[in-house]
Amino acid sequence: MIKDDLKKILVSEEQIANRCKELGRQLDHDYADKHNVLFVGILKGSVPFMAELIKRVSIDIEIDFMAVSSYSGTESLGDIKIIKDLEQSIQGRDLILVEDIVDTGVTINSLKTLLYNKGANDVKVVTLLDKPSRRQVDIKADYIGFEVENEFVVGFGLDYNQRYRNLPYVGVLKEELY
Ligand code: IMP
Ligand code: MG
C-alpha cells in the first residue's frame, strides 16, 4: 500500500474537503458579477484538487486543462514548455489557474504571462499548497489552500516520479525512498 511509504500526513482528507468548501464560497463571492469564468487545471497535479474545488463553486463556470513540463525527480527545471494547450479561445475571459502547489513560482509566473499574451482579461491563481520559502520569482497565488514548509510533499495530485498522486491526502515520504 502506498500509504505505508509515508513518514507523516501533513494535510488530511477532512482538512482538504473543508478548505475547498471555504475556497468555493470565497470564489462564489469574488466572481459573483463575472460571466463564463474558465477554470484552467494544470495537469496532472491539479486533477484531484480541481475535482474537489469545482463541486464547491456555484457560479457558472467552464473547465479546461493545460499540461506544461514540470519536475523530474525533486528538481525544478526552471522554465516551462506547453505540452497540451487549451481547447478554446480565452480572448477577454476571466481565468482561474488551478495548481497543486506553487513552489519556485516559475510555472504560474510563465503561465500568467502566456495567458495574458493570448488575450485573457484576468488571470488569478488558486493553489492547494503554497511553499513560499522556495520562491524564485516574486509572485503570489490569489487563493491558497494550505502553506507548507520547505519539504517535498506527495499525494492529492502531487507526485514523486509520477507516483503517489492517488493518495487522498498530502504527506511526506520516508527519507529512504528519495
Ligand atoms: P514551480 O514552478 O517551482 O512553482 O513548481 C510548480 C510545480 O512543481 C508544481 O505544479 C508541482 O508539479 C511541482 N512541485 C513543486 N514542489 C513539489 C512537491 O513538494 N511535491 C511534488 N511536486 C512539487
Ligand atoms: Mg504540477
Side-chain angles (χ1 to χ4, degrees):
M1 305 285 255
I2 57 171
K3 70 175 170 52
D4 302 325
D5 289 355
L6 290 186
K7 178 173 76 177
K8 61 180 173 192
I9 293 175
L10 284 183
V11 191
S12 71
E13 286 188 71
E14 193 189 356
Q15 284 177 300
I16 295 171
N18 288 337
R19 189 75 185 108
C20 284
K21 283 181 198 162
E22 291 173 358
L23 289 171
R25 273 198 292 271
Q26 183 75 53
L27 290 166
D28 280 348
H29 174 265
D30 295 354
Y31 284 81
D33 300 334
K34 309 279 186 186
H35 297 285
N36 205 218
V37 176
L38 184 65
F39 279 54
V40 176
I42 311 307
L43 294 171
K44 307 165 195 161
S46 71
V47 168
F49 180 46
M50 177 76 127
E52 187 74 30
L53 182 64
I54 61 170
K55 289 188 291 185
R56 305 302 174 192
V57 170
S58 307
I59 50 163
D60 186 25
I61 66 158
E62 288 181 38
I63 68 168
D64 202 349
F65 291 93
M66 284 180 87
V68 300
S69 65
S70 61
Y71 277 27
S72 151
T74 54
E75 285 305 308
S76 179
L77 298 175
D79 206 1
I80 62 156
K81 196 174 92 187
I82 305 298
I83 295 162
K84 183 216 171 286
D85 211 341
L86 296 171
E87 286 173 6
Q88 61 252 73
S89 163
I90 56 169
Q91 187 64 46
R93 293 186 73 175
D94 296 309
L95 270 48
I96 299 179
L97 278 179
V98 182
E99 256 289 28
D100 50 359
I101 189 166
V102 180
D103 185 36
T104 64
V106 168
T107 307
I108 59 161
N109 191 51
S110 314
L111 274 172
K112 280 184 90 164
T113 305
L114 187 129
L115 295 166
Y116 276 121
N117 286 340
K118 283 190 174 192
N121 175 58
D122 183 62
V123 184
K124 296 273 192 288
V125 176
V126 54
T127 185
L128 174 66
L129 305 174
D130 186 27
K131 219 193 263 182
S133 57
R134 292 250 313 162
R135 209 68 99 243
Q136 284 172 17
V137 289
D138 185 24
I139 193 160
K140 272 195 202 123
D142 302 278
Y143 303 91
I144 296 165
F146 302 91
E147 196 175 300
V148 292
E149 301 293 310
N150 186 8
E151 282 187 291
F152 195 80
V153 295
V154 298
F156 211 79
L158 293 122
D159 72 302
Y160 174 58
N161 289 338
Q162 298 303 325
R163 300 173 58 211
Y164 304 105
R165 294 193 197 274
N166 53 319
L167 283 169
Y169 34 68
V170 175
V172 180
L173 290 174
K174 291 173 178 162
E175 269 96 33
E176 62 264 30
L177 291 163
Y178 292 113

